[in-house]
Amino acid sequence: MKAKQFLTDKDHFMTEIEVFESLKISRANTLNISDVANENFKGFGVAITGSSCYNLNSMKSDERKEFLNKIYSDEGLGLSVGRISIGSSDYSAELYSYDDVPFDTELKHFSIEQDKAYIIPMIKEILKIKPDLFLFASPWSPPGWMKTGGNMCGGYMREEYIECYAEYIIKFIKMYEQNGIRISAITPQNEPNTQTNGFMPACIWHPEIEAKFINILTKRFAEEKLDVKIWLYDHVFSDADRVLWQLDNCEGVKESCEGIAFHYYSGTIEETLKIKRAYPEKELHFTEAGPRLNDNYDTDWCKWGIMISKAVKCGYSSFTGWNLMLNEMGGPNVGPFLCGGLVTRDVVSGELSYSGQYKAFAHIAKYINQKSKIFPMYVTEEYDLPMSRYPKENRDIEGFMIDNSDGKYIFVLINPNSEKRQAQFEFDNRMWYTELTPECIATVIITM
């Protein structure tokens, strides 16, 4: 039996270090492996936004191919999930819907022609590398004429247009399929409870109108024989009670949606456990969060490692970050936020730089597939923060084990503290010991 470790901290990236068996060290952080596995994980991904496609399209074809292999091939990160927008998101180069002719309820002017310039071609290049990429799609706004205020940026969905909007979504799915892109799931609205005050494409949905829309979509999908899953909500953890209310009180919703999608911008992921407990058959999906361009952009691997570990422990079925690629100004975009991409491409030099989220994915994503069993790991409670150290902050080591039934066992460990931590865990009746440097993420591989 052999063990090796790959370590990332402020001075290293995926540096290989040998790991040894050891006798138990009495005061080291001991991690216990749970008996209960997450066995329903679809994989990791990022949003292939219009802005990302614009930047990809600006690359030379050979450089782009090399880059996309680094992200989607089994030799690279091995990302297996992708999110695309239905029309413009705030991370698009242009603001548009697929039918901007006012009150065209017959959708005679519906067209995805604008996506053919660089969005559809870039997605198809990715599919050449990852043909089985699981794609889900989200709208940021219906056409403005379907909403209060008459504009894509802000406003509320009007109930009188939800049947028309269902046909709009179906046309999008069919036309993308005609262009060689299969959509496997949708969220009916990105962030249906957000208020952007007109700064970007967005739409507020009343929970009952959203529920009616989902039921109409489900019926029409069945009639059109479209095998497309519906994930409810697609917004923040702190609104878990809204989702529970819809599932409990809105007729047909719990039968119509296969899963629920969440973002991390408000609340804690543990708040969504109430949904998993009440409706264990529903999948939970982490569908948006990305690096902040000017806030530890390339050094926040612990943040993403912890977020992934928490998602695994809460039974989530996928983890999708935000933009695949943006430029050094966080663009192009038609919104107010300053996000960073998984990867940044400099407009002038073409040089690529990599986020902390990318580095966390490098430690985790390639080791997990749809057959993986993922076992949470928890630090024993004996050696919590001594009160004599107050108010100095101390965080537990996070971690989990991956079993792919191939004779290799993967242990992902995250030390978010500013001090080194001694860590040990028992596996196969042996004690394994490793030292986790300050603010590091480590992948330990034990080969039987």
Side-chain angles (χ1 to χ4, degrees), residues 228-243:
V228 180
K229 309 301 182 186
I230 297 175
W231 297 346
L232 176 64
Y233 193 51
D234 207 10
H235 203 182
V236 290
F237 300 142
S238 56
D239 271 344
D241 284 339
R242 167 186 163 131
V243 174

Side-chain angles (χ1 to χ4, degrees), residues 55 58 325-329 343-353:
N55 285 301
S58 300
M325 176 185 282
L326 296 176
N327 63 32
E328 77 278 14
M329 296 169 281
V343 177
T344 295
R345 182 176 186 269
D346 188 273
V347 169
V348 178
S349 69
E351 183 181 356
L352 302 180
S353 54

Side-chain angles (χ1 to χ4, degrees), residues 120-279:
I120 287 174
M122 293 302 99
I123 295 172
K124 291 178 75 172
E125 285 194 23
I126 292 170
L127 290 172
K128 286 181 182 178
I129 297 168
K130 195 75 172 181
D132 59 347
L133 185 71
F134 184 97
L135 284 171
F136 70 97
S138 308
W140 266 243
S141 175
W145 51 268
M146 295 186 184
K147 303 160 61 181
T148 62
N151 194 293
M152 286 185 67
C153 297
Y156 293 71
M157 185 66 189
R158 298 178 66 187
E159 186 173 359
E160 63 186 284
Y161 290 109
I162 59 176
E163 290 191 14
C164 176
Y165 192 40
E167 300 309 310
Y168 178 99
I169 298 294
I170 287 169
K171 280 183 174 289
F172 160 77
I173 292 169
K174 285 186 173 182
M175 287 190 179
Y176 258 62
E177 189 159 7
Q178 290 168 11
N179 281 272
I181 300 170
R182 182 177 183 275
I183 307 300
S184 295
I186 69 152
T187 66
Q189 171 65 44
N190 172 73
E191 301 186 348
N193 205 25
T194 194
Q195 176 55 267
T196 61
N197 299 310
F199 287 112
M200 58 174 269
C203 182
I204 298 176
W205 285 72
H206 188 285
E208 290 177 310
I209 297 176
E210 183 187 24
K212 289 179 181 179
F213 177 60
I214 288 170
N215 289 338
I216 291 169
L217 265 183
T218 300
K219 179 183 176 183
R220 291 293 292 122
F221 282 175
E223 291 170 349
E224 297 290 336
K225 297 181 172 54
L226 292 174
D227 182 18
V228 180
K229 309 301 182 186
I230 297 175
W231 297 346
L232 176 64
Y233 193 51
D234 207 10
H235 203 182
V236 290
F237 300 142
S238 56
D239 271 344
D241 284 339
R242 167 186 163 131
V243 174
L244 268 179
W245 187 90
Q246 287 177 292
L247 293 170
D248 290 342
N249 295 284
C250 295
E251 183 179 354
V253 169
K254 63 185 176 185
E255 291 81 19
S256 294
C257 69
E258 182 185 66
I260 301 100
F262 283 102
H263 303 176
Y264 89 142
Y265 304 115
S266 175
T268 66
I269 195 169
E270 289 79 9
E271 293 177 67
T272 65
L273 283 171
K274 63 181 75 172
I275 299 170
K276 196 67 175 174
R277 290 169 184 145
Y279 295 93

